[in-house]
Amino acid sequence: MDSEESNSCALVLTGGGARAAYQVGVLKAIAECFPRRQAIPFPILCGTSAGAINATALACYASCFHLGVRKLEYVWSNLHTEDVLRLQVGKVVSHSLKSLLFGALGKPTQIALPWFDNSPLERLLEKIIDFQRIDNNLLYGALEVLAITASNYNTGDSTTFYQGRPYHEPWVRAGRSGRSAIIMPPHLMASSALPFIFKPCRLQNHHYGDGSIHQLNPLSPAIHLGAKRILIVSLAPDDNCADTLPSDPSSSDIAGHLLDTVFTDALTSDIERLQRINNTIKLVPERKLEQLNLRHIDNLVLKPSKNLDDLTHKHFHKLPYNIRSLLRLFGVEAGDATGLSSFLLFDQDYCKELIALGYEDTQARLDEVCSFLTIEPKKK
């Protein structure tokens, strides 16, 4: 691939809580196709929610792709739920007592949300990510731009904060915008603040939450930042193994389904839109394309071969007891663990299984991946 093409290759990492460990397995398989001291083959990095954390970690080690992936694998493989979140037990008990009291008096009560504290995640990010390295990699050419998307609760817009080169310009479109910023922990905390799970994060006098909520065009940041090729790692299962809601869904079934919808539906629609535009471009004379401001964008989507919810069953008991107890109030049990628990299961064994699955799935499509990246696959 020539220098212009290599500088315009983007990696898009979506959200999904603990499921984002799958992305690390995908990256591990891809990294093995490159020399050990090779810079990242995706100089345009775009991430949302947990995918934003993975993208930022890669940006810090953009000059050495192998090292960045190894660091990510180490963190995810040694993760415990307490490293990311903790249940605010006092808040739950207080709210339960108030509910009983006001219920006896016939007065309505509000649900106290969020019940989870994500300050452990903020401490973890400050410990494992050296944000200064992003600037260094931009300066020495190993990285073009890092983009992190969050949802602005005040305006209802999807906001992408990007740290890149001077020629990357801000954009404003209906329901979405891009702003230049120095990426720091608050941007990651905002992008990964799962709705109902974590409190919103305050940035520049606005409150932000998980980037997937208002992100109707997940590929838009990569395209605005100059991508001509996009590798997308989705956490939605392959169509052949996707689950549907049971005939009598519980509260947890519905909550898990809603979270799945937030993280996957917009991406699926945006990929279809991109492919439709690519097909249209083939029919347009080249001299007209510049007038229409359209360009063909190659894309490849990698997604799990198994439903990630199904992998939670044997790991459900590893969640802290108080979190399991809370989930049981919503009808979640080990035998029928749903998407709701898979988002919260930041357990090293579950994450290792997801990493292994991502690695195996990518190995199975390695020729396709290497062709997309225009590199020769390593001989087995």
Side-chain angles (χ1 to χ4, degrees):
M1 147 183 347
D2 61 38
S3 59
E4 184 181 353
E5 285 292 313
S6 62
N7 285 338
S8 60
C9 187
L11 175 68
V12 172
L13 299 177
T14 63
R19 300 176 178 193
Y22 176 87
Q23 297 168 349
V24 181
V26 172
L27 294 167
K28 180 180 177 180
I30 295 174
E32 290 180 355
C33 298
F34 291 88
R36 286 198 170 272
R37 298 190 181 276
Q38 172 85 26
I40 191 168
F42 314 103
I44 301 174
L45 291 169
C46 301
T48 303
S49 193
I53 295 172
N54 286 341
T56 302
L58 287 177
C60 292
Y61 295 95
S63 59
C64 185
F65 187 31
H66 274 264
L67 180 59
V69 173
R70 285 205 307 272
K71 293 271 187 181
L72 267 177
E73 183 180 14
Y74 176 82
V75 172
W76 281 97
S77 298
N78 291 277
L79 205 57
H80 297 89
T81 303
E82 295 87 350
D83 297 327
V84 178
L85 57 88
R86 64 166 179 256
L87 183 64
Q88 301 182 94
V89 178
K91 191 171 185 178
V92 175
V93 172
S94 172
H95 177 69
S96 299
L97 292 175
K98 286 180 181 177
S99 296
L100 289 172
L101 175 60
F102 283 100
L105 297 174
K107 297 181 179 179
T109 58
Q110 293 182 333
I111 297 176
L113 293 172
W115 283 344
F116 291 96
D117 172 24
N118 59 348
S119 59
L121 173 61
E122 188 168 18
R123 290 193 292 271
L124 178 66
L125 293 177
E126 291 174 346
K127 179 181 177 182
I128 66 174
I129 296 181
D130 183 357
F131 290 86
Q132 180 59 46
R133 294 179 66 104
I134 299 173
D135 245 352
N136 294 339
N137 286 320
L138 285 167
L139 179 63
Y140 294 111
L143 180 69
E144 283 290 307
V145 61
L146 168 66
I148 304 302
T149 299
S151 297
N152 188 323
Y153 286 148
N154 296 98
T155 66
D157 291 342
S158 174
T159 303
T160 298
F161 299 97
Y162 67 87
Q163 184 173 349
R165 299 185 182 279
Y167 51 76
H168 290 119
E169 298 181 352
W171 66 89
V172 177
R173 297 290 185 274
R176 63 188 192 275
S177 63
R179 299 182 189 177
S180 178
I182 302 298
I183 302 300
M184 296 298 287
H187 296 95
L188 300 186
M189 295 301 293
S191 182
S192 59
L194 286 164
F196 309 117
I197 305 296
F198 300 133
K199 67 179 181 181
C201 184
R202 189 178 179 86
L203 282 171
Q204 300 172 347
N205 296 320
H206 282 206
H207 289 89
Y208 290 87
D210 194 287
S212 300
I213 300 171
H214 296 136
Q215 196 176 36
L216 300 180
N217 304 93
L219 304 182
S220 173
I223 295 170
H224 276 290
L225 294 167
K228 294 181 180 178
R229 311 163 65 81
I230 305 177
L231 180 70
I232 305 149
V233 184
S234 171
L235 301 177
D238 187 89
D239 294 339
N240 296 326
C241 58
D243 279 348
T244 57
L245 283 174
S247 56
D248 186 20
S250 66
S251 298
S252 66
D253 290 326
I254 295 171
H257 178 70
L258 288 174
L259 286 173
D260 275 335
T261 299
V262 165
F263 286 115
T264 64
D265 282 11
L267 178 62
T268 301
S269 298
D270 214 20
I271 291 169
E272 287 183 358
R273 186 182 302 112
L274 177 63
Q275 292 169 345
R276 190 165 59 250
I277 292 172
N278 282 343
N279 291 333
T280 302
I281 286 174
K282 294 176 184 177
L283 305 175
V284 178
E286 192 170 338
R287 65 181 183 278
K288 295 277 190 181
L289 288 180
E290 287 188 15
Q291 299 174 12
L292 296 173
N293 195 25
L294 292 175
R295 68 178 184 270
H296 184 278
I297 298 174
D298 291 328
N299 63 95
L300 178 65
V301 184
L302 301 176
K303 56 173 57 178
S305 60
K306 298 179 181 177
N307 192 310
L308 302 185
D309 289 357
D310 297 338
L311 303 183
T312 64
H313 299 171
K314 61 184 176 183
H315 299 288
F316 181 75
H317 68 282
K318 295 169 187 172
L319 279 168
Y321 174 77
N322 54 15
I323 295 180
R324 295 202 311 271
S325 299
L326 178 64
L327 290 175
R328 287 190 178 106
L329 293 177
F330 291 92
V332 179
E333 296 290 344
D336 58 355
T338 65
L340 187 58
S341 54
S342 72
F343 285 98
L344 301 175
L345 194 54
F346 293 95
D347 172 77
Q348 57 182 354
D349 293 329
Y350 176 61
C351 292
K352 286 178 183 176
E353 189 167 355
L354 293 184
I355 292 171
L357 179 61
Y359 182 84
E360 292 167 8
D361 287 348
T362 308
Q363 284 286 333
R365 299 181 61 186
L366 202 56
D367 288 343
E368 190 179 355
V369 172
C370 289
S371 175
F372 179 79
L373 296 174
T374 63
I375 59 173
E376 290 291 330
K378 280 192 174 182
K379 293 181 180 179
K380 298 179 181 179

